């Protein structure tokens, strides 16, 4: 009986050893196959963080930290001029904001060519306040204050022309202040303060209300406009100003007095005809 037990034990040990040998062989074959597969597998794509837009942004819109997020982007396909860190995109906690220069769609990477530098102006559109409109005025060396105008300055606008009423007898030439403290936002096609040098401009762009646009357009087409530069520290409100040739030279204009037509005097006498009293006209003695 004991011999049978020993024989069974030896057979079991032999089978276990054979199983271990087979398992080792299987594991070795698996490792060899795995190494072979790894050697033939293409390397993983390396990625980097790229900041992209979360929403559609239009020209002149201010870029805010809430409008961007970081996305994994293939390193070999990263566009030129992208921003990899939030500190690079918004330096100094966005103390000097950036503005959009081109339309950016959701998911588009933020690139240097699509946005301004920190603190840089996006142009005229960013300087037009709500409810205001940009309007261009033609100027020359005389009317444009000899090239001293810069974006951000304020000017008074004067109109010089003539009016005619009831023919030539009532026509007169005069100059009148039509707009006061008008804000300049561009000189010619330049809205950058540092970029404008002391040259004679051909046009200046002002920011005015819609009804003032109509007034300036009418004035520009019916007479000659002149600009007067307002001082940087001047906060006074200009009075109504109108000067014609007579006022300039101190000549008093005689107002025309309408002739009063003298009423013709009628003299009458009364006479009685029966029970009726009748008035009869007669020539006046004086």
């Amino acid at each position: 009986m004991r011999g049978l037990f020993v024989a069974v034990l030896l057979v079991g040990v032999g089978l276990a050893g054979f199983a271990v040998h087979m398992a080792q062989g299987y594991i070795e074959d698996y490792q060899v196959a795995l190494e072979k597969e790894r050697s033939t597998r293409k390397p993983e794509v390396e990625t980097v963080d790229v900041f992209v837009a979360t929403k559609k942004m239009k020209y002149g819109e201010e870029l805010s930290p809430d409008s961007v997020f970081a996305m994994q982007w293939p390193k070999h396909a990263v566009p030129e001029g992208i921003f990899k860190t939030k500190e690079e995109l918004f330096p100094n906690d966005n103390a000097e904001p950036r503005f959009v220069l081109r339309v950016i769609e959701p998911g588009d990477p933020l690139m240097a060519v699509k946005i301004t530098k920190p603190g840089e102006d996006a142009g005229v559109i960013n300087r037009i306040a709500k409810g205001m409109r940009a309007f261009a005025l033609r100027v020359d060396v005389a009317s444009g204050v000899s090239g001293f105008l810069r974006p951000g300055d304020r000017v008074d606008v004067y109109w010089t022309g003539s009016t005619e009423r009831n023919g030539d007898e009532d026509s007169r030439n005069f100059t009148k202040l039509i707009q006061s403290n008008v804000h300049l936002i561009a000189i010619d096609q330049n809205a950058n303060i540092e970029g404008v040098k002391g040259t004679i401009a051909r046009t200046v762009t002002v920011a005015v209300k819609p009804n003032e646009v109509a007034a300036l357009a009418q004035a520009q087409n019916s007479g000659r406009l002149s600009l007067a530069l307002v001082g940087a520290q001047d906060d006074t409100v200009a009075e109504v100003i109108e000067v014609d040739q007579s006022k300039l030279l101190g000549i008093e204009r005689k107002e025309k007095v309408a002739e009063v037509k003298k009423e013709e005097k009628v003299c009458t006498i009364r006479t009685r005809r029966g029970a009726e009293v009748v008035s009869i006209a007669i020539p006046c003695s004086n």
Side-chain angles (χ1 to χ4, degrees):
M1 189 69 180
R2 182 177 295 178
L4 180 61
F5 176 75
V6 173
V8 172
L9 180 60
L10 292 175
V11 172
V13 172
L15 291 174
F18 177 76
V20 171
H21 175 73
M22 292 295 294
Q24 287 180 343
Y26 177 77
I27 292 173
E28 290 177 358
D29 292 342
Y30 176 77
Q31 287 179 343
V32 171
L34 182 61
E35 291 295 333
K36 185 178 180 180
E37 192 272 338
R38 286 178 177 175
S39 63
T40 58
R41 183 190 304 173
K42 294 181 180 180
E44 295 183 359
V45 177
E46 187 177 359
T47 61
V48 294
D49 284 341
V50 172
F51 279 88
V52 300
T54 60
K55 61 178 183 178
K56 184 174 181 179
M57 290 180 283
K58 299 180 293 184
Y59 172 77
E61 186 174 346
E62 181 178 341
L63 186 68
S64 65
D66 296 336
S67 60
V68 301
F69 72 99
M71 173 184 287
Q72 291 291 314
W73 201 275
K75 187 176 181 179
H76 69 277
V78 170
E80 185 178 357
I82 55 91
F83 298 90
K84 299 179 181 179
T85 64
K86 207 161 189 176
E87 291 73 20
E88 184 182 2
L89 184 58
F90 302 105
N92 300 324
D93 293 329
N94 202 28
E96 296 179 322
R98 298 176 184 264
F99 297 91
V100 177
L101 294 176
R102 302 181 185 177
V103 176
I104 301 176
E105 298 291 341
D108 284 353
L110 275 300
M111 303 169 61
V113 296
K114 295 183 179 180
I115 58 178
T116 65
K117 296 178 182 179
E120 186 180 17
D121 200 341
V124 171
I125 192 172
N126 195 51
R127 298 189 177 188
I128 304 175
K130 184 177 180 181
M132 307 295 282
R133 301 292 185 269
F135 184 75
L137 300 175
R138 297 185 298 270
V139 295
D140 54 27
V141 62
S143 62
V145 199
S146 299
F148 289 106
L149 299 178
R150 297 290 185 276
D153 290 343
R154 292 173 298 123
V155 296
D156 291 339
V157 183
Y158 291 83
W159 178 84
T160 301
S162 62
T163 59
E164 294 183 3
R165 293 176 297 179
N166 300 327
D168 295 336
E169 294 182 358
D170 291 339
S171 64
R172 68 188 185 104
N173 296 322
F174 65 97
T175 298
K176 182 176 182 179
L177 174 64
I178 59 173
Q179 297 291 342
S180 178
N181 274 335
V182 177
H183 181 211
L184 297 182
I185 58 178
I187 306 298
D188 286 335
Q189 284 76 42
N190 198 336
N192 187 5
I193 297 177
E194 289 76 14
V196 177
K197 299 181 180 179
T199 57
I200 305 304
R202 291 175 294 179
T203 60
V204 296
T205 303
V206 297
V208 290
K209 296 179 180 179
N211 61 315
E212 294 172 336
V213 171
L216 289 174
Q218 178 63 30
Q220 188 164 238
N221 291 328
S222 60
R224 184 174 182 272
L225 297 182
S226 300
L227 307 181
L229 184 61
V230 179
Q233 306 300 324
D234 191 349
D235 57 356
T236 59
V237 179
E239 301 176 354
V240 177
I241 300 173
E242 182 177 322
V243 177
D244 59 10
Q245 190 176 28
S246 298
K247 189 173 183 180
L248 178 66
L249 299 177
I251 301 174
E252 295 184 1
R253 291 172 58 93
K254 294 183 178 180
E255 299 293 336
K256 293 184 178 181
V257 180
E259 295 182 359
V260 179
K261 187 177 180 180
K262 188 176 181 181
E263 295 183 358
E264 185 178 352
K265 188 176 181 181
V266 179
C267 300
T268 60
I269 61 172
R270 294 184 177 183
T271 182
R272 181 180 294 275
R273 293 180 179 177
E276 182 181 1
V277 177
V278 180
S279 296
I280 301 174
I282 62 174
C284 296
S285 60
N286 51 4

